[in-house]
Amino acid sequence: MRKARQIVNAYNLCGYQAMGLGPADFQFGLEVLRELEKTAKFPFISTNLVEKSTKKHLFHPHVVIQTGGVRFGVYTLLMNQLNDTYKSRVLPDAEI
């Protein structure tokens, strides 16, 4: 977790405007990742990660970033081939 906090702090200093989530980001579980997001000055995004029961996105599905007068839409997708054991351990209430 110390390393994860350092990475988010570095991203904050670099001016990141969004971070797409990947499988390794969930290694400490969903709740820990949500707490880590609170320290970020940018949203964590994942277009296809939703809560099983409600079908609501667990993180922002996308963001629009403007830089140099140009607007960009940014989204990310998680692979649906995540190992079932891994998914059940770190994302028990999520669906990809």
Side-chain angles (χ1 to χ4, degrees), residues 21-84:
L21 298 172
D25 296 315
F26 295 93
Q27 63 185 318
F28 297 112
L30 182 59
E31 292 310 314
V32 172
L33 187 58
R34 287 182 188 273
E35 287 300 314
L36 190 59
E37 183 183 28
K38 292 176 184 177
T39 68
K41 296 178 182 175
F42 50 87
F44 290 5
I45 60 174
S46 179
T47 301
N48 64 334
L49 183 62
V50 297
E51 188 175 0
K52 283 181 183 179
S53 60
T54 64
K55 303 295 185 199
K56 290 183 180 180
H57 290 96
L58 294 174
F59 294 91
H60 298 275
H62 62 277
V63 294
V64 176
I65 296 170
Q66 184 167 334
T67 185
V70 179
R71 291 169 45 118
F72 298 90
V74 180
Y75 68 95
T76 64
L77 300 171
L78 278 169
M79 297 182 308
N80 65 355
Q81 292 99 359
L82 292 176
N83 176 291
D84 287 336

